[in-house]
Amino acid sequence: MKRRSLDPETSIESAETSLCKALLSLKNAAEMAAFLHDLCTPAELEVLVDRWRVVPLLLDGMPYRQIHERTAVSITTIGRVARYLNQGDGGYLAAASRATRSRATAKKSPAKPILKNGAKA
C-alpha cells in the first residue's frame, strides 16, 4: 500500500469513507462502470475484475488449478482472494450473497418487453 511522507489534509480514513459513500450513491451498474472506468487504470480494473471472477468459483469449492485453467487468473491471486474470503472483513461474502440474491430475483421477475423507441413497457 502506498504511504505518503507528508501529512495530507484529509485523513486516509476520511477519504476512504468518502469513496465508499460515492460508490454507494451510484444508482445502477452502468453508473458504477462509468465511475470505475474513470477512477481506475485499465490494469487496476482488470485486477479487480479478476479477483471478483474467482469469488463464486471459490465459494463453489472449485480447486485453484481448475479456476486458473478456466479464468487464466494467477494461482497467487486466487490464493489471495481465498484468504480474504476466509479471514477478511466479510466484504466478498456480503457482495457475493447480495449478487446471488439479485440474480435469483431477476430470474423470477418476468422480462418487460422493449418498445420500438428502446423504452421498457
Side-chain angles (χ1 to χ4, degrees), residues 13-25 35-36 39:
E13 293 80 18
S14 176
E16 184 178 325
T17 298
S18 176
L19 175 61
C20 291
K21 288 179 179 179
L23 291 166
L24 286 169
S25 74
F35 183 77
L36 290 174
L39 180 68

Side-chain angles (χ1 to χ4, degrees), residues 27-60:
K27 296 191 179 1
N28 55 46
E31 286 185 4
M32 179 65 73
F35 183 77
L36 290 174
H37 283 269
D38 288 347
L39 180 68
C40 301
T41 65
E44 290 166 338
L45 191 54
E46 182 180 13
V47 168
L48 294 173
V49 169
D50 282 350
R51 290 177 183 178
W52 185 244
R53 285 175 63 205
V54 304
V55 169
L57 303 175
L58 285 166
L59 291 173
D60 286 345

Side-chain angles (χ1 to χ4, degrees), residues 72-120:
V73 173
S74 75
I75 299 292
T76 303
T77 296
I78 295 165
R80 183 177 297 118
V81 172
R83 185 173 67 245
Y84 281 99
L85 274 170
N86 294 318
Q87 301 168 358
D89 293 328
Y92 277 133
L93 292 173
S97 173
R98 290 191 184 121
T100 300
R101 275 192 303 233
S102 184
R103 279 193 300 273
T105 302
K107 284 182 181 178
K108 289 179 185 175
S109 313
K112 293 183 180 179
I114 300 199
L115 303 175
K116 287 183 182 180
N117 64 3
K120 290 188 178 178

